[in-house]
Amino acid sequence: MKINDIIGRKIIDKNANDIGKISELLLNTETFEITSFIASIGNPLSKKYYSIKTADINALGDYIQLKIDKNDLEESKDTKINTPDECKVNELIGKTVLDKSGVTIGKISDIEFEEYNITTLQISTSSIIKKELDTITKEDISGIGDYIILKKTFKSVEE
């Protein structure tokens, strides 16, 4: 499943009541595991955010179905949605990817995951980089900060 496909999906509780929408996902940058889904509830003037742990999710489909009800969610209201080893997935989208030698490879365009584990990061590349580099995995990444640095060096395609 792709991150861009899941952001904005509606969330329903175990009693089939509408909760809100997915606004963000939190990613552990060490394990590349999705740790929480952030739900936005309410209108733009009084929007609240709640953290939903992956253990509380029953199914990911056209709707995000929870194992808990709306009252349980309100009890788990979370004001701090970021820890040092976590990052917001939306902050990775658009981040510049550099190879080991500091050459720009492209930008993250989407992220794919299975069973709450990130499998690949899709890169939109410039035309001077080899076309086969369109995805990377966590094994390819040396570091994540303001940029994503890869463990490899890539050569430009000469015209």
Side-chain angles (χ1 to χ4, degrees):
M1 182 169 282
K2 293 183 178 185
I3 296 295
N4 286 338
D5 293 338
I6 205 155
I7 300 292
R9 285 205 185 164
K10 286 190 175 186
I11 307 163
I12 57 175
D13 71 4
K14 70 178 183 180
N15 300 317
N17 293 316
D18 193 22
I19 301 281
K21 292 183 178 182
I22 296 295
S23 63
E24 184 63 87
L25 286 80
L26 297 184
L27 168 70
N28 181 307
T29 55
E30 297 295 319
T31 64
F32 275 68
E33 182 180 347
I34 295 171
T35 57
S36 301
F37 286 60
I38 305 301
S40 61
I41 301 170
N43 64 47
L45 297 176
S46 64
K47 195 170 280 197
K48 295 180 182 177
Y49 296 93
Y50 296 87
S51 177
I52 301 170
K53 298 294 180 196
T54 55
D56 292 331
I57 296 174
N58 188 42
L60 296 173
D62 292 336
Y63 292 83
I64 309 301
Q65 299 173 358
L66 302 182
K67 296 178 184 176
I68 58 177
D69 67 22
K70 198 172 195 171
N71 297 329
D72 294 333
L73 181 64
E74 297 202 42
E75 292 172 8
S76 68
K77 181 178 178 183
D78 191 36
T79 55
K80 184 180 177 188
I81 61 172
N82 228 1
T83 61
D85 62 341
E86 287 181 323
C87 75
K88 296 175 183 175
V89 171
N90 278 335
E91 291 175 357
L92 288 179
I93 305 289
K95 199 169 279 260
T96 301
V97 179
L98 305 174
D99 75 1
K100 185 177 177 180
S101 64
V103 174
T104 301
I105 302 300
K107 293 183 183 256
I108 300 296
S109 59
D110 206 350
I111 300 170
E112 294 185 25
F113 69 96
E114 265 181 42
E115 298 179 12
Y116 309 118
N117 290 303
I118 301 297
T119 55
T120 57
L121 288 84
Q122 295 181 341
I123 302 174
S124 58
T125 60
S126 64
S127 60
I128 62 168
I129 303 299
K130 293 182 179 179
K131 290 292 184 186
E132 62 262 15
L133 182 70
D134 58 340
T135 61
I136 55 174
T137 64
K138 68 180 179 181
E139 289 80 19
D140 297 326
I141 297 173
S142 169
I144 298 176
D146 292 331
Y147 298 88
I148 296 176
I149 300 175
L150 303 180
K151 295 177 182 175
K152 302 176 184 176
T153 303
F154 296 91
K155 295 181 181 181
S156 299
V157 177
E158 298 198 6
E159 295 182 21

